[in-house]
Amino acid sequence: MRAQSSATDTGAIAVRAPREPRLVGTGQAALGVVAFSLTFPATAWGLESFGPWSLVAVRGVLAALVAGACLLLLRVPPPEARHLPGLAMVGIGTVLGFPLLTTLALQTSTTAHAAVVVGLLPLTTAAVSALRTGVRPSRRFWTAALAGAAAVAVFTVTQSGGALTRADVYLFGALLVCAAGYTEGGRLARVMPGWQVIGWALVLCLPLSALGTALALGHEPVRLTAHGIAGVLWVAVGSQFLGLLLWYRGMAAVGIPRASQLQLAQPLLTLVWSALLLGEHVPAAAPLTAVAVLVCIAVTQRS
């Protein structure tokens, strides 16, 4: 009986083992989403002290210094040459492109509106991932993803009066470059630790970030405030480094399409932060959108 029980226990462990990395990975991706949800309010704070170009360049430099220090202290060897194109895409998408385009959008758009538009990022990431990696999620996955994206799109059109603005064009461009960066980062995180993926991407972009900082600070005025300093520190360290570190680790564990759907909750979290930190009005449709999005997340996670 003891031998049978031991065999049964071993079998149970074997069955449960694959679930544990998936749960941990989902938790890491979710924490990354929480960090990302604070990005737009923190960017709005940062714009109180910096111009849009200065803010993006300074955040890139600060994040690269933190990442570079970690890589040096831990004596991490340089990435292999074959990984450099992927790291460059991560840098272009998540270190330079997305921060710049969303910061330009937030000059004329509220954080609540921008957050809802960027809520289409999970579907965009899943589509780019399918094209890049050849993975084909199930029909139920795509149905739930499209339903979640539709809920976000309806919310956006309702709140904007049905007219696209220049800010929306910036935001849609940000969706494309960020999805490409997420896809490459998730792929690389399967062969190297997630924090090294974003760390090396930040370091590779440091020359451009440093040059941009020197040029932008010479042309845009700087007026330091407590909000401005807190905002740039968060987008640099919290969103740009720690958030992406957790995000890429999570994507490596659970897969890019599954992890990307967790971001359907990001715009709704940002709405909460926008109300609490910026005093923005939260539309009455937000709770209904939240329910629809959470249902879609549940379906995609089971698909």
Side-chain angles (χ1 to χ4, degrees):
M1 292 294 292
R2 183 180 297 275
Q4 182 177 358
S5 176
S6 176
T8 302
D9 293 342
T10 302
I13 292 173
V15 171
R16 289 195 300 267
R19 293 181 59 85
E20 293 175 2
R22 179 175 295 182
L23 290 175
V24 172
T26 301
Q28 290 171 334
L31 288 175
V33 170
V34 173
F36 297 154
S37 70
L38 281 161
T39 300
F40 286 173
T43 299
W45 275 6
L47 287 172
E48 294 181 11
S49 294
F50 299 91
W53 294 87
S54 299
L55 178 59
V56 173
V58 169
R59 72 181 276 183
V61 169
L62 292 176
L65 292 176
V66 173
C70 292
L71 292 168
L72 284 175
L73 288 173
L74 296 175
R75 298 180 180 179
V76 177
E80 299 178 22
R82 62 192 178 96
H83 296 321
L84 292 179
L87 289 171
M89 188 65 250
V90 174
I92 293 171
T94 64
V95 177
L96 299 176
F98 185 80
L100 177 60
L101 292 170
T102 53
T103 300
L104 291 173
L106 287 172
Q107 288 187 288
T108 56
S109 172
T110 65
T111 61
H113 178 83
V116 175
V117 173
V118 174
L120 296 175
L121 183 57
L123 179 60
T124 310
T125 302
V128 172
S129 172
L131 293 174
R132 175 67 177 86
T133 64
V135 174
R136 295 294 183 266
S138 67
R139 182 175 299 179
R140 186 172 67 169
F141 178 96
W142 283 113
T143 300
L146 287 170
V152 172
V154 169
F155 182 89
T156 303
V157 172
T158 301
Q159 297 304 310
S160 64
L164 292 179
T165 64
R166 178 180 295 181
D168 291 321
V169 175
Y170 285 139
L171 292 170
F172 287 129
L175 287 174
L176 294 177
V177 297
C178 190
Y182 278 175
T183 298
E184 288 302 309
R187 185 180 63 84
L188 288 172
R190 294 183 176 182
V191 296
M192 68 173 69
W195 75 272
Q196 292 182 24
V197 173
I198 184 57
W200 286 119
L202 286 165
V203 170
L204 287 175
C205 290
L206 180 57
L208 287 176
S209 298
L211 177 61
T213 298
L215 294 175
L217 289 178
H219 291 82
E220 293 179 337
V222 176
R223 185 174 61 87
L224 296 180
T225 64
H227 277 176
I229 294 173
V232 72
L233 287 177
W234 177 260
V235 294
V237 180
S239 300
Q240 193 86 73
F241 183 60
L242 294 178
L244 284 172
L245 181 157
L246 291 166
W247 178 244
Y248 285 140
R249 285 179 64 90
M251 281 200 296
V254 303
I256 297 170
R258 184 187 299 272
S260 69
Q261 299 313 302
L262 292 172
Q263 277 198 309
L264 285 170
Q266 183 176 325
L268 304 161
L269 290 173
T270 300
L271 290 177
V272 175
W273 299 127
S274 298
L276 294 177
L277 300 178
L278 303 176
E280 290 186 0
H281 172 67
V282 177
L288 295 177
T289 308
V291 173
V293 166
L294 291 176
V295 169
C296 292
I297 291 176
V299 174
T300 58
Q301 293 304 295
R302 291 180 175 274
S303 300

